[in-house]
Coordinates of all heavy atoms in Angstrom, one line a residue:
M1 N 36.7 146.8 -62.1 CA 37.1 148.0 -61.5 C 38.6 147.9 -61.3 O 39.1 147.0 -60.7 CB 36.3 148.3 -60.2 CG 36.8 149.6 -59.5 SD 35.7 149.9 -58.2 CE 34.8 151.2 -59.0
P2 N 39.4 148.9 -61.8 CA 40.9 148.8 -61.7 C 41.3 148.9 -60.2 O 40.7 149.7 -59.4 CB 41.4 149.9 -62.5 CG 40.2 150.5 -63.2 CD 39.0 150.0 -62.6
L3 N 42.4 148.2 -59.9 CA 42.9 148.4 -58.5 C 44.1 149.4 -58.7 O 45.1 149.1 -59.3 CB 43.5 147.1 -58.0 CG 42.5 146.0 -57.9 CD1 43.2 144.7 -57.6 CD2 41.4 146.3 -56.9
V4 N 43.9 150.5 -58.1 CA 44.9 151.6 -58.3 C 45.6 152.1 -57.0 O 46.6 152.8 -57.1 CB 44.2 152.9 -59.0 CG1 43.8 152.5 -60.4 CG2 43.1 153.4 -58.2
E5 N 45.1 151.8 -55.9 CA 45.8 152.2 -54.7 C 46.4 151.1 -53.9 O 45.8 150.1 -53.7 CB 44.6 152.8 -53.7 CG 44.0 154.0 -54.2 CD 43.1 154.7 -53.1 OE1 43.3 154.5 -51.9 OE2 42.1 155.3 -53.6
P6 N 47.7 151.3 -53.5 CA 48.5 150.3 -52.8 C 48.0 150.3 -51.4 O 47.3 151.1 -51.0 CB 49.9 150.8 -53.0 CG 49.8 152.2 -53.3 CD 48.6 152.4 -53.9
P7 N 48.2 149.3 -50.6 CA 49.1 148.2 -50.9 C 48.7 147.1 -51.8 O 47.5 146.8 -51.8 CB 49.5 147.6 -49.6 CG 48.2 147.8 -48.8 CD 47.7 149.1 -49.3
F8 N 49.5 146.6 -52.6 CA 49.2 145.4 -53.5 C 49.8 144.2 -53.0 O 51.0 144.3 -52.5 CB 49.7 145.7 -55.0 CG 49.1 146.9 -55.5 CD1 49.9 148.1 -55.7 CD2 47.7 147.0 -56.0 CE1 49.3 149.2 -56.2 CE2 47.1 148.2 -56.5 CZ 47.9 149.3 -56.7
H9 N 49.2 143.1 -53.0 CA 49.7 141.8 -52.6 C 49.6 140.8 -53.7 O 48.6 140.8 -54.4 CB 49.0 141.3 -51.4 CG 49.1 142.3 -50.2 ND1 50.3 142.4 -49.4 CD2 48.3 143.1 -49.7 CE1 50.1 143.4 -48.5 NE2 48.9 143.8 -48.6
A10 N 50.5 139.9 -53.8 CA 50.4 138.8 -54.7 C 50.6 137.5 -54.0 O 51.4 137.4 -53.0 CB 51.5 138.9 -55.8
Y11 N 49.8 136.5 -54.3 CA 49.9 135.2 -53.7 C 50.1 134.1 -54.7 O 49.4 134.1 -55.8 CB 48.6 134.9 -52.9 CG 48.3 135.9 -51.8 CD1 47.6 137.0 -52.0 CD2 48.9 135.8 -50.5 CE1 47.3 138.0 -51.1 CE2 48.7 136.7 -49.6 CZ 47.9 137.7 -49.8 OH 47.6 138.7 -48.9
P12 N 50.9 133.1 -54.5 CA 51.2 132.1 -55.5 C 49.9 131.2 -55.6 O 49.2 130.9 -54.6 CB 52.4 131.3 -54.9 CG 52.3 131.6 -53.5 CD 51.8 132.9 -53.3
I13 N 49.6 130.7 -56.7 CA 48.5 129.9 -56.9 C 49.0 128.6 -57.6 O 49.8 128.6 -58.6 CB 47.4 130.5 -57.8 CG1 46.8 131.7 -57.2 CG2 46.3 129.6 -58.2 CD1 45.8 132.5 -58.0
V14 N 48.6 127.4 -57.1 CA 49.0 126.2 -57.6 C 47.8 125.5 -58.2 O 46.8 125.3 -57.6 CB 49.6 125.3 -56.5 CG1 50.0 123.9 -57.0 CG2 50.8 125.9 -55.9
S15 N 48.0 125.2 -59.5 CA 46.9 124.5 -60.2 C 47.0 123.0 -59.9 O 48.0 122.5 -59.9 CB 47.0 124.8 -61.7 OG 46.0 124.1 -62.3
S16 N 45.7 122.5 -59.6 CA 45.8 120.9 -59.4 C 44.4 120.5 -59.7 O 43.5 121.2 -59.8 CB 46.1 120.7 -57.9 OG 45.1 121.2 -57.1
N17 N 44.4 119.2 -59.9 CA 43.1 118.5 -60.2 C 42.6 117.9 -58.9 O 43.2 116.8 -58.5 CB 43.4 117.4 -61.3 CG 42.1 116.7 -61.6 OD1 41.0 117.2 -61.4 ND2 42.2 115.6 -62.3
V18 N 41.7 118.5 -58.4 CA 41.2 117.9 -57.1 C 39.6 117.7 -57.1 O 39.0 118.5 -57.6 CB 41.5 119.0 -55.9 CG1 41.0 118.4 -54.6 CG2 43.0 119.2 -55.9
F19 N 39.2 116.6 -56.7 CA 37.8 116.4 -56.6 C 37.5 115.4 -55.5 O 38.4 114.8 -54.9 CB 37.2 115.9 -57.8 CG 37.8 114.7 -58.4 CD1 37.3 113.4 -58.0 CD2 38.9 114.6 -59.2 CE1 37.9 112.2 -58.5 CE2 39.4 113.5 -59.7 CZ 39.0 112.3 -59.4
T20 N 36.3 115.4 -55.0 CA 35.9 114.6 -53.9 C 34.9 113.5 -54.4 O 34.2 113.6 -55.3 CB 35.2 115.4 -52.8 OG1 34.1 116.1 -53.3 CG2 36.1 116.4 -52.3
F21 N 34.9 112.4 -53.5 CA 33.8 111.4 -53.7 C 33.0 111.6 -52.5 O 33.4 111.4 -51.3 CB 34.4 110.0 -53.7 CG 35.1 109.7 -55.1 CD1 36.5 109.8 -55.2 CD2 34.4 109.4 -56.2 CE1 37.1 109.6 -56.4 CE2 35.0 109.1 -57.4 CZ 36.4 109.2 -57.5
G22 N 31.7 111.9 -52.7 CA 30.9 112.2 -51.5 C 30.7 113.8 -51.4 O 30.9 114.4 -52.3
G23 N 30.3 114.2 -50.2 CA 30.1 115.6 -50.0 C 28.7 115.8 -49.3 O 28.1 114.9 -49.0
V24 N 28.4 117.0 -49.3 CA 27.0 117.4 -48.7 C 25.9 117.3 -49.7 O 26.1 117.4 -50.9 CB 27.0 118.8 -48.1 CG1 28.1 118.9 -47.0 CG2 27.3 119.9 -49.2
K25 N 24.7 117.1 -49.2 CA 23.6 116.8 -50.1 C 22.9 118.3 -50.2 O 22.7 119.0 -49.3 CB 22.6 115.9 -49.4 CG 21.4 115.5 -50.3 CD 20.6 114.4 -49.7 CE 19.4 114.0 -50.6 NZ 18.6 112.9 -50.0
V26 N 22.6 118.6 -51.5 CA 21.9 119.8 -51.8 C 20.7 119.6 -52.6 O 20.5 118.5 -53.2 CB 22.9 120.8 -52.6 CG1 24.1 121.1 -51.8 CG2 23.3 120.1 -54.0
D27 N 19.8 120.6 -52.6 CA 18.6 120.5 -53.4 C 18.8 121.2 -54.7 O 19.9 121.7 -55.1 CB 17.4 121.1 -52.6 CG 17.4 122.6 -52.4 OD1 18.4 123.2 -52.9 OD2 16.6 123.0 -51.6
G28 N 17.8 121.5 -55.5 CA 17.8 122.1 -56.9 C 18.2 123.6 -56.8 O 18.4 124.1 -57.9
Q29 N 18.2 124.2 -55.6 CA 18.6 125.5 -55.5 C 20.0 125.6 -54.9 O 20.5 126.8 -54.4 CB 17.7 126.4 -54.8 CG 16.4 126.8 -55.5 CD 15.4 125.5 -55.5 OE1 15.2 124.9 -54.5 NE2 14.9 125.3 -56.7
A30 N 20.7 124.5 -54.7 CA 22.1 124.4 -54.2 C 22.0 124.7 -52.7 O 23.1 124.9 -52.1 CB 23.0 125.4 -54.9
R31 N 20.8 124.6 -52.0 CA 20.8 124.8 -50.6 C 21.2 123.4 -49.9 O 20.8 122.3 -50.3 CB 19.4 125.1 -50.1 CG 18.8 126.4 -50.7 CD 17.4 126.7 -50.3 NE 16.6 125.7 -50.9 CZ 15.2 125.7 -50.8 NH1 14.6 126.7 -50.2 NH2 14.5 124.8 -51.4
V32 N 22.1 123.5 -48.9 CA 22.5 122.3 -48.2 C 21.3 121.7 -47.4 O 20.5 122.5 -46.7 CB 23.7 122.6 -47.2 CG1 24.0 121.4 -46.4 CG2 24.9 123.1 -48.1
L33 N 21.1 120.4 -47.5 CA 20.0 119.7 -46.7 C 20.5 119.2 -45.5 O 21.6 118.6 -45.4 CB 19.4 118.7 -47.7 CG 19.0 119.1 -49.0 CD1 18.4 118.0 -49.8 CD2 17.9 120.2 -48.9
D34 N 19.6 119.2 -44.5 CA 20.0 118.5 -43.2 C 19.7 117.0 -43.3 O 19.4 116.4 -44.4 CB 19.3 119.2 -42.0 CG 17.8 118.9 -42.0 OD1 17.3 118.1 -42.8 OD2 17.1 119.7 -41.3
A35 N 19.8 116.2 -42.2 CA 19.7 114.8 -42.2 C 18.3 114.4 -42.5 O 18.0 113.3 -42.9 CB 20.0 114.3 -40.8
N36 N 17.3 115.4 -42.4 CA 15.9 115.0 -42.8 C 15.5 115.6 -44.1 O 14.4 115.8 -44.4 CB 15.0 115.5 -41.7 CG 15.2 114.9 -40.4 OD1 15.2 113.6 -40.4 ND2 15.4 115.6 -39.3
D37 N 16.5 115.9 -44.9 CA 16.3 116.5 -46.3 C 15.7 117.8 -46.3 O 14.9 118.2 -47.3 CB 15.7 115.5 -47.1 CG 16.6 114.4 -47.6 OD1 17.7 114.5 -47.5 OD2 16.0 113.2 -48.0
R38 N 15.8 118.6 -45.2 CA 15.3 120.0 -45.2 C 16.3 120.9 -45.4 O 17.4 120.8 -44.9 CB 14.6 120.2 -43.8 CG 13.3 119.4 -43.5 CD 12.8 119.7 -42.1 NE 13.9 119.5 -41.2 CZ 13.7 118.9 -40.0 NH1 12.5 118.5 -39.6 NH2 14.7 118.7 -39.2
P39 N 16.1 122.0 -46.2 CA 17.1 123.0 -46.5 C 17.5 123.7 -45.2 O 16.7 124.0 -44.3 CB 16.4 124.0 -47.4 CG 15.4 123.3 -48.0 CD 14.9 122.2 -47.0
I40 N 18.8 124.0 -45.0 CA 19.4 124.7 -43.8 C 19.4 126.1 -44.2 O 20.0 126.5 -45.3 CB 20.8 124.2 -43.5 CG1 20.8 122.8 -43.2 CG2 21.4 125.1 -42.4 CD1 22.2 122.1 -42.9
P41 N 18.6 127.0 -43.6 CA 18.4 128.4 -44.1 C 19.8 129.2 -44.2 O 20.6 129.1 -43.3 CB 17.6 129.0 -43.0 CG 16.9 127.9 -42.4 CD 17.8 126.7 -42.4
G42 N 20.0 129.8 -45.4 CA 21.2 130.5 -45.6 C 22.5 129.8 -45.9 O 23.5 130.3 -46.1
L43 N 22.4 128.5 -46.0 CA 23.6 127.7 -46.3 C 23.5 127.0 -47.6 O 22.6 126.2 -48.0 CB 23.7 126.6 -45.2 CG 25.0 125.7 -45.3 CD1 26.2 126.6 -45.2 CD2 25.0 124.7 -44.2
Y44 N 24.5 127.4 -48.5 CA 24.5 126.9 -49.9 C 25.9 126.2 -50.1 O 26.9 126.4 -49.4 CB 24.4 128.0 -50.8 CG 23.1 128.8 -50.8 CD1 23.0 129.8 -49.9 CD2 22.1 128.4 -51.6 CE1 21.8 130.6 -49.8 CE2 20.9 129.1 -51.5 CZ 20.7 130.2 -50.7 OH 19.5 130.8 -50.6
A45 N 25.9 125.3 -51.1 CA 27.1 124.7 -51.4 C 27.3 124.6 -53.0 O 26.3 124.5 -53.7 CB 27.2 123.2 -50.9
A46 N 28.6 124.7 -53.4 CA 28.8 124.6 -54.8 C 30.3 124.0 -55.0 O 31.1 123.9 -54.1 CB 28.8 125.9 -55.5
G47 N 30.5 123.5 -56.2 CA 31.8 122.9 -56.4 C 32.1 121.7 -55.7 O 31.3 120.8 -55.6
E48 N 33.3 121.5 -55.2 CA 33.8 120.2 -54.7 C 33.0 119.7 -53.4 O 33.1 118.5 -53.1 CB 35.2 120.2 -54.5 CG 36.0 120.4 -55.8 CD 35.6 119.4 -56.8 OE1 35.5 118.2 -56.5 OE2 35.5 119.8 -58.0
V49 N 32.4 120.6 -52.7 CA 31.7 120.1 -51.5 C 30.4 119.4 -51.7 O 29.8 118.9 -50.9 CB 31.6 121.2 -50.4 CG1 32.9 121.8 -50.0 CG2 30.6 122.3 -50.9
V50 N 29.9 119.6 -53.0 CA 28.6 119.0 -53.4 C 28.8 117.6 -53.7 O 29.7 117.2 -54.4 CB 28.0 119.7 -54.7 CG1 26.8 119.0 -55.1 CG2 27.7 121.2 -54.3
G51 N 28.0 116.7 -53.0 CA 28.1 115.2 -53.3 C 27.7 114.9 -54.7 O 26.7 115.4 -55.1
M52 N 28.5 114.2 -55.4 CA 28.1 113.8 -56.7 C 28.7 112.5 -57.2 O 28.1 111.7 -57.9 CB 28.4 114.9 -57.7 CG 28.0 114.7 -59.1 SD 28.3 116.2 -60.1 CE 27.8 115.7 -61.7
Y53 N 30.0 112.3 -56.9 CA 30.7 111.1 -57.4 C 30.7 110.1 -56.4 O 31.0 110.2 -55.2 CB 32.2 111.5 -57.8 CG 32.3 112.7 -58.6 CD1 33.0 113.9 -58.2 CD2 31.6 112.7 -59.9 CE1 33.1 115.0 -59.0 CE2 31.7 113.9 -60.7 CZ 32.4 115.0 -60.2 OH 32.6 116.1 -61.0
W54 N 30.4 108.8 -56.8 CA 30.4 107.7 -55.8 C 31.1 106.5 -56.6 O 30.5 105.7 -57.1 CB 28.9 107.3 -55.5 CG 28.2 108.4 -54.9 CD1 27.3 109.3 -55.5 CD2 28.3 108.9 -53.6 NE1 27.0 110.3 -54.5 CE2 27.5 109.9 -53.3 CE3 29.1 108.4 -52.5 CZ2 27.4 110.6 -52.1 CZ3 28.9 109.0 -51.2 CH2 28.1 110.1 -51.1
G55 N 32.4 106.6 -56.6 CA 33.2 105.5 -57.2 C 33.7 105.7 -58.6 O 34.7 105.0 -59.0
N56 N 33.2 106.7 -59.3 CA 33.7 107.0 -60.6 C 33.7 108.5 -61.0 O 32.6 109.1 -60.6 CB 32.9 106.2 -61.7 CG 33.6 106.3 -63.1 OD1 34.7 106.5 -63.2 ND2 32.7 105.9 -64.1
Y57 N 34.7 109.0 -61.5 CA 34.8 110.4 -61.9 C 34.6 110.6 -63.4 O 35.3 110.0 -64.2 CB 36.1 111.0 -61.5 CG 36.4 112.4 -62.0 CD1 35.6 113.6 -61.6 CD2 37.3 112.6 -63.0 CE1 35.8 114.7 -62.1 CE2 37.5 113.9 -63.5 CZ 36.7 115.0 -63.0 OH 36.9 116.2 -63.5
T58 N 33.6 111.4 -63.7 CA 33.4 111.7 -65.2 C 34.2 112.9 -65.5 O 34.0 114.0 -64.9 CB 31.8 111.9 -65.5 OG1 31.1 110.8 -64.9 CG2 31.6 112.1 -66.9
G59 N 35.1 112.8 -66.5 CA 35.9 113.8 -66.8 C 35.3 115.2 -67.1 O 34.2 115.2 -67.7
A60 N 35.9 116.3 -66.6 CA 35.5 117.7 -66.9 C 34.2 118.1 -66.0 O 33.8 119.3 -66.2 CB 35.3 118.0 -68.3
T61 N 33.7 117.2 -65.3 CA 32.5 117.6 -64.5 C 32.9 118.4 -63.2 O 32.0 118.9 -62.6 CB 31.6 116.4 -64.2 OG1 32.4 115.5 -63.5 CG2 31.1 115.8 -65.5
S62 N 34.0 118.3 -62.8 CA 34.5 118.9 -61.6 C 34.2 120.4 -61.6 O 33.6 121.1 -60.8 CB 35.9 118.6 -61.2 OG 36.3 119.2 -60.0
V63 N 34.7 121.0 -62.7 CA 34.5 122.4 -62.9 C 33.1 122.9 -63.1 O 32.5 123.8 -62.7 CB 35.4 123.0 -64.0 CG1 35.1 124.5 -64.3 CG2 36.9 122.9 -63.7
L64 N 32.4 122.0 -63.8 CA 31.0 122.2 -64.2 C 30.1 122.2 -62.9 O 29.2 123.0 -62.8 CB 30.5 121.1 -65.1 CG 29.1 121.1 -65.6 CD1 29.0 122.5 -66.5 CD2 28.7 119.9 -66.4
K65 N 30.5 121.4 -61.8 CA 29.7 121.5 -60.6 C 29.8 122.8 -60.0 O 28.8 123.4 -59.5 CB 30.2 120.4 -59.5 CG 29.8 119.0 -59.8 CD 30.1 118.1 -58.7 CE 31.3 118.3 -57.9 NZ 31.4 117.5 -56.7
G66 N 31.0 123.5 -59.9 CA 31.2 124.8 -59.4 C 30.3 125.8 -60.2 O 29.7 126.7 -59.7
L67 N 30.3 125.7 -61.5 CA 29.6 126.6 -62.3 C 28.1 126.5 -62.1 O 27.4 127.5 -61.9 CB 29.9 126.3 -63.8 CG 29.1 127.1 -64.9 CD1 29.5 128.6 -64.8 CD2 29.3 126.5 -66.2
V68 N 27.5 125.3 -62.3 CA 26.2 125.1 -62.1 C 25.6 125.4 -60.7 O 24.6 126.2 -60.5 CB 25.7 123.7 -62.6 CG1 24.3 123.4 -62.3 CG2 26.0 123.4 -64.1
F69 N 26.2 124.8 -59.7 CA 25.7 125.0 -58.4 C 26.0 126.4 -57.9 O 25.3 126.9 -57.1 CB 26.2 123.8 -57.5 CG 25.6 122.5 -57.7 CD1 26.2 121.5 -58.4 CD2 24.3 122.3 -57.2 CE1 25.6 120.4 -58.7 CE2 23.7 121.1 -57.4 CZ 24.4 120.1 -58.2
G70 N 27.1 127.0 -58.3 CA 27.4 128.3 -57.9 C 26.3 129.2 -58.5 O 25.8 130.2 -57.7
R71 N 25.9 129.1 -59.7 CA 24.8 129.9 -60.3 C 23.5 129.7 -59.6 O 22.8 130.7 -59.3 CB 24.8 129.6 -61.8 CG 23.6 130.2 -62.5 CD 23.8 131.7 -62.7 NE 22.8 132.3 -63.4 CZ 22.8 133.0 -64.4 NH1 23.9 133.3 -65.1 NH2 21.8 133.6 -65.0
L72 N 23.2 128.4 -59.3 CA 22.0 128.1 -58.6 C 21.9 128.8 -57.2 O 21.0 129.5 -56.8 CB 21.7 126.7 -58.4 CG 21.5 125.8 -59.7 CD1 21.5 124.3 -59.5 CD2 20.0 126.2 -60.2
A73 N 23.0 128.7 -56.5 CA 23.2 129.3 -55.1 C 23.0 130.7 -55.2 O 22.3 131.4 -54.4 CB 24.5 128.8 -54.5
G74 N 23.8 131.4 -56.1 CA 23.7 132.8 -56.2 C 22.3 133.4 -56.6 O 21.9 134.4 -56.0
T75 N 21.7 132.7 -57.5 CA 20.4 133.1 -57.9 C 19.4 132.9 -56.8 O 18.6 133.9 -56.5 CB 19.9 132.3 -59.1 OG1 20.8 132.4 -60.1 CG2 18.4 132.6 -59.5
D76 N 19.4 131.9 -56.0 CA 18.5 131.7 -54.9 C 18.8 132.6 -53.7 O 17.8 133.2 -53.1 CB 18.6 130.2 -54.4 CG 17.4 129.9 -53.4 OD1 16.2 129.9 -53.9 OD2 17.6 129.7 -52.2
A77 N 20.1 132.8 -53.4 CA 20.5 133.8 -52.4 C 20.0 135.2 -52.7 O 19.5 135.9 -51.8 CB 21.9 133.8 -52.2
A78 N 20.1 135.6 -54.0 CA 19.7 137.0 -54.4 C 18.2 137.1 -54.3 O 17.7 138.2 -53.9 CB 20.2 137.3 -55.8
R79 N 17.5 136.0 -54.7 CA 16.1 136.1 -54.6 C 15.5 136.2 -53.1 O 14.6 136.9 -52.9 CB 15.5 134.8 -55.2 CG 14.0 134.8 -55.2 CD 13.5 133.5 -56.0 NE 13.9 132.2 -55.4 CZ 13.2 131.7 -54.3 NH1 12.2 132.4 -53.7 NH2 13.7 130.5 -53.8
R80 N 16.3 135.6 -52.2 CA 15.9 135.6 -50.8 C 16.5 136.8 -50.1 O 16.1 137.1 -48.9 CB 16.4 134.4 -50.1 CG 15.8 133.1 -50.7 CD 16.4 131.8 -50.1 NE 15.9 130.6 -50.6 CZ 14.8 130.2 -50.0 NH1 14.2 130.7 -49.0 NH2 14.2 129.1 -50.6
R81 N 17.2 137.7 -50.7 CA 17.8 138.9 -50.1 C 16.6 139.8 -49.6 O 15.8 140.1 -50.4 CB 18.7 139.6 -51.0 CG 19.3 140.8 -50.4 CD 20.3 141.4 -51.4 NE 20.8 142.7 -51.0 CZ 20.3 143.8 -51.3 NH1 19.3 144.0 -52.1 NH2 20.8 144.9 -50.8
P82 N 16.6 140.2 -48.4 CA 15.6 141.2 -47.9 C 15.8 142.5 -48.7 O 16.9 142.9 -49.1 CB 15.9 141.4 -46.4 CG 17.0 140.4 -46.1 CD 17.6 139.9 -47.3
N83 N 14.6 143.2 -48.9 CA 14.8 144.5 -49.7 C 15.5 145.5 -48.7 O 15.2 145.6 -47.5 CB 13.3 145.0 -49.8 CG 12.6 144.1 -50.9 OD1 13.2 143.5 -51.7 ND2 11.3 144.1 -50.8
A84 N 16.5 146.2 -49.3 CA 17.3 147.1 -48.5 C 16.6 148.5 -48.6 O 16.0 149.0 -49.4 CB 18.7 147.1 -49.1

């Protein structure tokens, strides 16, 4: 959808290669798990906050984590949405 009404704002974006070792534990629907491996209702994680790397980074998988876990989280959240 085109943006046609002002005010318009622009923000600088800096590209960088950032990834984490560790992170939160998620299940197959990208739901964040508590200390007892139970899903926390309504809490999802995707991208860099998802635990995956433990001492070695596999090239190009950082963006892939955002894509895969974001899709899983969005699909599960939409499925759980109450009927409006």
Side-chain angles (χ1 to χ4, degrees):
M1 177 170 259
L3 300 175
V4 293
E5 291 186 32
F8 302 106
H9 300 281
Y11 299 94
I13 297 174
V14 177
S15 177
S16 62
N17 183 17
V18 178
F19 56 90
T20 59
F21 289 98
V24 298
K25 188 174 183 181
V26 296
D27 65 8
Q29 286 77 47
R31 298 177 297 184
V32 176
L33 303 177
D34 67 15
N36 295 310
D37 289 339
R38 293 179 303 223
I40 299 170
L43 184 59
Y44 297 88
E48 295 307 318
V49 300
V50 175
M52 184 173 174
Y53 309 121
W54 301 99
N56 192 14
Y57 169 69
T58 306
T61 57
S62 184
V63 173
L64 186 61
K65 281 194 325 178
L67 172 72
V68 171
F69 287 101
R71 172 72 183 233
L72 290 169
T75 300
D76 193 66
R79 184 176 60 80
R80 294 172 179 276
R81 180 179 173 259
N83 293 331

